[in-house]
Amino acid sequence: RSPRGSRGLGDVYKRQEEDRPTLVVSYGDSGADGDWYTADDLISSASSVAYDADGNPIRAVILSGPGSDGLWQTEDDAVTRYQRMTYNAFGAQTEEIDYNGAGSDGVWFSADDEVYDYERWQYDDQGRELTHIEYDHAGPDGQWLTADDPGRSYTAYAYNSKGYVTRFSTYGDAGGDAVFGTSDDVVTALTLLTYTAGDLLEEIRHYSGAGTDGEWETDDDVLSSYASYSYDADGNRALTIDHDNPGADGVWFTADDDADDVRSYLLDGNGQTTRRTTLGDPGPDLIWNTVDDSVEDYRTYTYAADGGLLSETRFDDAGADLTWFTGDDQIDQRWEYSPDY
């Protein structure tokens, strides 16, 4: 399945304490001296993370300040909210609960902390995800995390014989019985994935409606967007294109489909991405990923000897020479990581 995106904290740059960071600090201002990476850089937020014995994050706490002692990760840190996660025997996440209040006792991490939403995942006996259910309010009993919580929506997954996900259906309507997980649940969105003969992801299509016939996976389904993927001779991803509009002709999968997000990739000998470029248009030749493409921004990545990510840098301006990928390109954001080897 496609990995869920992490919830970002960064404004300008982050500092991690180790490979599995117990503290991630985000800096949003260079301070009085105007220089980044100096002692007076201003922290915008921090996240403290705890792990289980297998290295899975089990609690992530969003902090707004270090408290009166001036030290992060001590008992007086100012907590904004936190998440608690659990996993099954496969190491797959089964639950995430989000809390945004300390409850009536005013003490964080106690039984009366205020839940504001939660998610649950179910898997088959091979560890493949079957359903993902989101909850944003308690049921008639007024208690969170009980059987009558109605759920907001859920997603069900299907796989091919090789174990690759081929479909996920989003049920956004619980039907007449107002209970999710029953036979009258209504599919409100559908995503279909296809693969090359070499089992590389080739295309993802997102549908927002079943069309006039009311049946899914028929010719009149309402397509909302699609993404296509291409690869180099070694099977490394070279280009991704997201299309969100069928263009002037109103017909999908024709030459004028609007390319909303186009990214090209450069990789090193280990298959790691060293540069990811966001392209604006294909240039006069009308062919993506050629030298006349216009560039919107790009990111570069560096790695340690064992493959761990060391840095990520985003460039958003070509500099005085007006030429991208040269020494005067302007840095917009930079993240540095210091793994504990």
Side-chain angles (χ1 to χ4, degrees):
R1 63 187 173 91
S2 301
R4 296 187 304 279
S6 59
R7 302 183 180 184
L9 298 171
D11 294 318
V12 177
Y13 74 90
K14 298 181 182 179
R15 188 185 74 246
Q16 292 189 177
E17 295 297 325
E18 52 192 60
D19 193 25
R20 290 194 183 105
T22 57
L23 182 67
V24 179
V25 182
S26 301
Y27 296 84
D29 193 284
S30 59
D33 64 7
D35 293 324
W36 291 103
Y37 309 108
T38 56
D40 71 339
D41 292 355
L42 299 180
I43 295 173
S44 56
S45 65
S47 175
S48 178
V49 186
Y51 300 85
D52 64 19
D54 295 319
N56 298 308
I58 55 175
R59 191 174 76 183
V61 184
I62 309 303
L63 306 170
S64 59
S68 59
D69 63 6
L71 301 174
W72 293 99
Q73 290 185 300
T74 56
E75 291 184 357
D76 70 340
D77 290 354
V79 175
T80 300
R81 57 187 173 88
Y82 74 96
Q83 302 163 340
R84 182 167 59 83
M85 293 76 81
T86 57
Y87 303 84
N88 63 17
F90 293 99
Q93 189 171 349
T94 57
E95 187 174 72
E96 178 178 305
I97 306 172
D98 297 330
Y99 300 86
N100 67 345
S104 58
D105 64 6
V107 179
W108 286 98
F109 317 121
S110 59
D112 72 338
D113 288 354
E114 298 169 5
V115 176
Y116 70 93
D117 66 26
Y118 68 100
E119 304 173 59
R120 285 177 172 161
W121 293 264
Q122 295 177 326
Y123 303 84
D124 64 17
D125 57 7
Q126 299 180 55
R128 299 180 304 191
E129 184 173 337
L130 293 178
T131 61
H132 171 208
I133 307 175
E134 300 177 353
Y135 302 85
D136 62 0
H137 62 281
D141 66 4
Q143 301 296 314
W144 284 93
L145 308 172
T146 57
D148 71 339
D149 292 353
R152 178 173 66 237
S153 66
Y154 75 94
T155 304
Y157 298 83
Y159 300 83
N160 63 20
S161 60
K162 296 183 177 180
Y164 295 105
V165 63
T166 57
R167 177 195 302 109
F168 47 96
S169 306
T170 300
Y171 293 82
D173 186 332
D177 64 6
V179 178
F180 277 110
T182 56
S183 59
D184 70 340
D185 294 351
V186 178
V187 175
T188 53
L190 176 70
T191 297
L192 300 177
L193 300 85
T194 58
Y195 299 85
T196 68
D199 297 326
L200 299 172
L201 180 62
E202 184 173 41
E203 188 177 77
I204 301 178
R205 298 186 183 188
H206 301 283
Y207 296 91
S208 58
T212 55
D213 65 5
E215 300 291 333
W216 286 100
E217 294 191 68
T218 57
D219 290 340
D220 72 339
D221 289 357
V222 180
L223 185 70
S224 57
S225 64
Y226 72 96
S228 57
Y229 303 82
S230 58
Y231 302 84
D232 64 22
D234 296 319
N236 297 311
R237 186 172 296 179
L239 186 70
T240 66
I241 306 177
D242 293 336
H243 302 270
D244 67 349
N245 189 291
D249 65 6
V251 180
W252 288 102
F253 308 111
T254 57
D256 74 336
D257 290 358
D258 181 48
D260 174 58
D261 187 10
V262 182
R263 297 178 179 182
S264 66
Y265 301 83
L266 287 179
L267 293 90
D268 61 20
N270 296 317
Q272 297 169 309
T273 299
T274 56
R275 189 174 78 199
R276 188 194 77 190
T277 304
T278 303
L279 304 172
D281 66 63
D285 67 3
L286 301 180
I287 300 173
W288 289 107
N289 211 17
T290 55
V291 294
D292 68 340
D293 294 356
S294 70
V295 174
E296 293 187 353
D297 64 58
Y298 69 95
R299 300 186 183 214
T300 60
Y301 306 86
T302 62
Y303 302 88
D306 70 348
L309 182 64
L310 290 179
S311 70
E312 176 181 351
T313 306
R314 178 178 182 267
F315 299 83
D316 68 345
D317 192 285
D321 65 5
L322 302 180
T323 303
W324 289 98
F325 315 122
T326 58
D328 71 339
D329 293 354
Q330 299 297 299
I331 294 175
D332 173 57
Q333 293 176 299
R334 181 174 173 82
W335 297 264
E336 293 185 348
Y337 306 94
S338 300
D340 181 12
Y341 298 113

